[in-house]
Amino acid sequence: MFGNRGRSGNVFFRSSLNTKAKFIIDDAKKNAENLIEKANVQAESIKKEKNLQAKEKFLELKSQHDADIQSREKKMQEVEKRTKDKEHKLNDELSKIGKLEKDLDKQIADYSKKNEILEKKQQELDTATAKKLKFLRKSQIILLTKLRLNW
């Protein structure tokens, strides 16, 4: 009898060990599953946070890039405006120079005409003076001849 009890006690002991071991294994599995689930949740949370940080960084970089582009465009527009202003100023100056050249050409033409008229009048004066001198010489000769005769 004692021998049977030993076996049944052994079986009971083994059975209770198996139940305890099974309970420990099941508990360990549940703990492992909970840890894995918590790790997955935490990993998902970290992933979402990192995605959010990456998006924020991207938006920050994009915003800075857009600001840089706007700044460059503004500078280019300012340079273009200064260039157009200088071009306009140069065109105005060229227009003024063109007008001055036309005025100068007109004055030169007027001067040339007046000079021609003056030269023509000078020739007429020279001719008239020469005739007058010739007349005066003849008159002088006649007068001298009369005076000699009268004497």
Side-chain angles (χ1 to χ4, degrees), residues 44-60:
E44 189 64 31
S45 174
I46 291 171
K47 181 180 174 183
K48 286 180 182 178
E49 185 178 328
K50 292 298 178 181
N51 278 337
L52 182 62
Q53 288 175 354
K55 286 178 184 178
E56 288 173 350
K57 184 67 174 176
F58 173 77
L59 291 174
E60 179 185 331

Side-chain angles (χ1 to χ4, degrees), residues 81-92:
K81 185 182 182 312
R82 283 194 307 263
T83 302
K84 285 181 182 180
D85 289 345
K86 285 180 182 180
E87 185 178 338
H88 183 69
K89 187 176 180 181
L90 285 173
N91 285 336
D92 287 348

